[in-house]
Amino acid sequence: MLASVLLGGLLCALLAACATAPPPPQPVNPAIEQARLAESRGDWPQAAAAWIQAATDPELSNPDRSRYWLEAADAWWKAGKIEQAQDALGLLNADALESADSARLALLQGEMALAAGRLDEADFYLTAAGRGLPAAQRVRLTQAQQDLQARRQDPYGALLADIGRQLTVEPPDTTEALEVLQRLEAVPAERLAQEARNPTRLGQWCALSLDLRQTLLYRRDLLEAATDWATLNPLHPVTQAQYLEIAWQYGQRFAPPGRIAVLLPTEGSFAAAGAAVRDGIVAAWLDNPARSELVFMPVGEDPASALEAYRVAEREGFDWIIGPLRRDSVQRITDQPDASVPGLLLNWPEPATQTPFGPPAASNPSEVDFYSLSLSQEAEAEAVAARMLAVGERQAILLLADSAWGARTEQAFMDAYLAGGGEIVSLERFAAGDADHSAKLTRLLQIEDGRERRRRLQGQLGIPLEFEDSRRDDFGAFFMAADPLLGRQLKPQLRFFDAGSKPVFAMSRVYGGRPDPSSDGDLNGVQVPTTRWALREVQGDDATLQSVRDGAFDNLHALGRDAWNILPWLDIMGREPGFFF
């Protein structure tokens, strides 16, 4: 009986053991083992490759596949491969992730936003990561939050520190070098120069970034630039040969867009200006065509024609536009809420901005980028005011053309001059049709006041007096807004009234562009803002261009050249105020 009970108990125990035995172990994906092993060695590129192999297993469930893509993105990020990390993130399904993995995803997105300088976005993701993040990742979250706080206080310190951690002692390959240079684009040139003075690896790379910007911007001969680089930086990890390769590859980032529509007037009052700008664009394009295609679309005086040309550029898939020239046409384009083709506008939309280059100040309802490059008369008047203040001329008399242009120039100059601490002593408006301006100048310079005092004194004494006309002397300089004819009339008459020794600052319109020695002598001593292009004799084929009109439209020809040459740099200029063309 006892034996039967024992046998029955043993049988039940065996049956119970069979009922609770664990299932046979599942085979471990060898790619995951390789990924973990690579991570333990700190070989993040190898780890990322292994996680990608694991994620592409067709038998995976959606949550596992998304988790493996997250692991791959994280490994690429730790390897400093930003674009590969972004590509991996684009392949995962965030909705399929469990709570802890969602928090890890938010942490990674926060770190990437932080490195790109998108601080508000980084704050959002890091806050989200704090909910449900595994304990093993908490230190990393704390570091990111501290970096965010440091970036808010010093926008570039944390980014530079992160780039510094990415650098190694070994000479980098071209791909790694390009990634470092791309990240350094977010740092202003002034800060790069400050860091370049430090004898660190980061300082060396900041120096390289600055050098390459100048080499590419001014299209220096790469071999000459590489030789100079190696001579001046013998201890830098980038050698002369590497500099050549890196400069060539990096320069591809700053190539002009592929297809550009040029919107310029071909009829009406702006037709001649449009022709000069057109020839400048074509001349610059012939110097550096890259792989770009230019298509010219005619625009009339009606702003609607500019908008229609823009719509054609949208429909035909152009990458960029240049133009139009008229302010009302520019306004019509920037007012669109659904614009999709970015553009370099050749005038300012209303209201005009206070700087000669940059994104328009007027509200742009669309998401697309518009920049303005313009021969703005208001900006030029402000530049003259700034120059006068800079050289200590703080009391001025204004000599203005009696025209709408003169009034517009007057307002811009006065606003800038008064804001900078200058004083307008007096002003007078002149019509170029009046050849003799002596009456107005006599009154303006208060010469008639002296003559009246002489008459009173002679009447009181009853005897003739020797008397020399004298003018007021409570000012330091003249500001002149005049065309060539009026300027050539006023300057000699200032000398006649003993005011020739006072400096005269004028708008560039006072010089017509055509060399005329017999008449231009009357403008000797007048200081005007101008460009290098206007100061040199036009060379080669440009000299025979009818649109240049013997130099009268040189400035518009140069505007066209600059419009083409500046296109590759608009993105970095928009992000970095210290970068200039």
Side-chain angles (χ1 to χ4, degrees):
M1 182 69 177
L2 179 60
S4 299
V5 172
L6 290 173
L7 183 59
L10 180 59
L11 181 60
C12 291
L14 289 173
L15 291 173
C18 291
T20 60
Q26 297 293 324
V28 178
N29 188 329
I32 297 177
E33 290 184 336
Q34 294 172 11
R36 297 298 185 198
L37 182 61
E39 287 177 345
S40 68
R41 299 194 308 265
D43 188 350
W44 299 112
Q46 181 60 41
W51 282 119
I52 291 174
Q53 182 181 349
T56 54
D57 184 347
E59 302 298 325
L60 280 179
S61 65
N62 200 13
D64 285 341
R65 179 175 289 104
S66 293
R67 184 169 68 254
Y68 295 163
W69 280 120
L70 174 60
E71 295 283 4
D74 197 45
W76 280 129
W77 174 249
K78 290 175 180 176
K81 308 291 186 180
I82 302 172
E83 292 184 3
Q84 290 91 328
Q86 292 171 335
D87 291 341
L89 287 181
L91 294 171
L92 65 81
N93 180 4
D95 295 334
L97 294 174
E98 297 178 356
S99 174
D101 289 327
S102 293
R104 290 183 58 211
L105 172 61
L107 173 60
L108 178 56
Q109 290 173 314
E111 290 175 327
M112 295 174 75
L114 185 61
R118 302 189 299 270
L119 302 189
D120 290 340
E121 182 182 334
D123 194 6
F124 170 81
Y125 281 122
L126 295 179
T127 300
R131 298 187 290 270
L133 191 68
Q137 301 287 333
R138 288 283 171 180
V139 173
R140 183 171 163 184
L141 175 62
T142 300
Q143 179 63 51
Q145 290 170 331
Q146 291 174 348
D147 286 350
L148 174 61
Q149 183 178 1
R151 288 292 296 275
R152 292 198 186 280
Q153 297 172 350
D154 178 2
Y156 307 105
L159 174 61
L160 288 169
D162 188 62
I163 295 173
R165 288 191 292 268
Q166 177 185 347
L167 299 173
T168 60
V169 178
E170 295 78 14
D173 61 29
T174 301
T175 301
E176 292 169 336
L178 293 175
E179 289 175 353
V180 173
L181 293 168
Q182 186 175 344
R183 296 189 70 189
L184 286 173
E185 287 174 16
V187 182
E190 182 180 355
R191 183 61 192 277
L192 287 175
Q194 176 185 344
E195 197 68 38
R197 290 192 287 268
N198 297 326
T200 62
R201 289 197 302 276
L202 178 61
Q204 291 178 321
W205 280 89
C206 290
L208 177 64
S209 177
L210 286 170
D211 189 272
L212 282 170
R213 289 184 187 185
Q214 296 301 307
T215 292
L216 297 173
L217 184 65
Y218 297 111
R219 295 207 292 272
R220 289 188 63 198
D221 178 78
L222 293 187
L223 180 58
E224 178 185 341
T227 302
D228 291 345
W229 168 259
T231 302
L232 297 173
N233 302 274
L235 302 180
H236 198 282
V238 171
T239 64
Q240 178 176 342
Q242 285 179 308
Y243 183 101
L244 270 173
E245 176 64 22
I246 291 170
W248 171 256
Q249 295 289 345
Y250 190 52
Q252 304 311 302
R253 282 182 47 77
F254 303 104
R259 299 186 72 219
I260 302 102
V262 184
L263 282 53
L264 291 174
T266 56
E267 59 185 36
S269 58
F270 276 61
V277 174
R278 176 203 64 205
D279 289 347
I281 292 174
V282 171
W285 178 81
L286 289 172
D287 287 343
N288 180 34
R291 297 180 178 178
S292 300
E293 174 189 358
L294 285 177
V295 176
F296 289 84
M297 297 185 177
V299 172
E301 292 200 312
D302 185 352
S305 67
L307 181 58
E308 177 54 33
Y310 183 84
R311 292 299 190 194
V312 171
E314 287 185 314
R315 289 194 300 269
E316 297 187 3
F318 281 86
D319 301 311
W320 206 270
I321 68 160
I322 298 176
L325 268 176
R326 294 178 62 96
R327 177 168 287 182
D328 50 5
S329 298
V330 164
Q331 187 70 47
R332 185 68 64 91
I333 289 175
T334 58
D335 279 346
Q336 301 174 89
D338 58 345
S340 60
V341 179
L344 177 58
L345 312 172
L346 299 182
N347 210 322
W348 295 110
E350 295 288 353
T353 67
Q354 298 301 309
T355 56
F357 177 82
S363 61
N364 174 19
S366 72
E367 296 296 324
V368 73
D369 289 329
F370 287 117
Y371 297 87
S372 286
L373 179 65
S374 170
L375 297 178
S376 164
Q377 295 298 284
E378 291 89 346
E380 182 177 313
E382 292 163 6
V384 177
R387 173 64 179 171
M388 292 177 66
L389 292 168
V391 297
E393 299 295 353
R394 297 187 173 274
Q395 290 81 35
I397 288 179
L398 276 53
L399 312 174
L400 307 165
D402 192 6
S403 64
W405 170 76
R408 200 168 76 245
T409 302
E410 170 192 343
Q411 189 61 55
F413 176 86
M414 289 182 63
D415 288 347
Y417 194 65
L418 295 174
E423 176 188 354
I424 306 298
V425 175
S426 187
L427 66 84
E428 188 63 69
R429 299 178 180 86
F430 301 86
D434 300 332
D436 185 3
H437 304 289
S438 57
K440 288 186 175 182
L441 288 174
T442 298
R443 182 174 64 251
L444 179 68
L445 296 172
Q446 296 183 350
I447 294 173
E448 187 59 40
D449 293 349
R451 292 173 178 173
E452 179 60 30
R453 287 193 299 273
R454 179 185 64 174
R455 284 192 289 266
R456 288 198 306 266
L457 187 57
Q458 285 185 149
Q460 292 171 0
L461 297 177
I463 58 174
L465 298 174
E466 290 293 332
F467 186 88
E468 185 174 317
D469 286 343
S470 63
R471 56 160 175 82
R472 68 192 304 168
D473 199 30
D474 57 348
F475 69 103
F478 293 100
F479 167 69
M480 182 189 297
D483 61 16
L485 176 60
L486 179 59
R488 290 169 181 151
Q489 292 170 351
L490 287 176
K491 187 64 168 65
Q493 292 185 45
L494 291 178
R495 288 196 296 269
F496 178 79
F497 288 111
D498 193 33
S501 61
K502 296 290 186 179
V504 178
F505 297 82
M507 297 287 286
S508 60
R509 187 179 290 192
V510 77
Y511 174 63
R514 299 185 182 93
D516 185 356
S518 62
S519 299
D520 289 342
D522 290 335
L523 296 175
N524 283 350
V526 176
Q527 302 182 46
V528 296
T530 188
T531 63
R532 287 184 297 170
W533 181 266
L535 291 176
R536 69 176 182 85
E537 182 180 356
V538 180
Q539 301 293 327
D541 295 338
D542 296 334
T544 62
L545 289 173
Q546 183 178 0
S547 64
V548 176
R549 296 193 174 185
D550 297 325
F553 280 7
D554 264 359
N555 56 347
L556 290 164
H557 185 90
L559 177 67
R561 282 181 171 271
D562 283 345
W564 173 254
N565 290 325
I566 206 171
L567 276 183
W569 305 99
L570 289 176
D571 180 58
I572 192 171
M573 293 180 80
R575 288 184 284 112
E576 197 224 300
F579 186 92
F580 63 92
F581 175 81

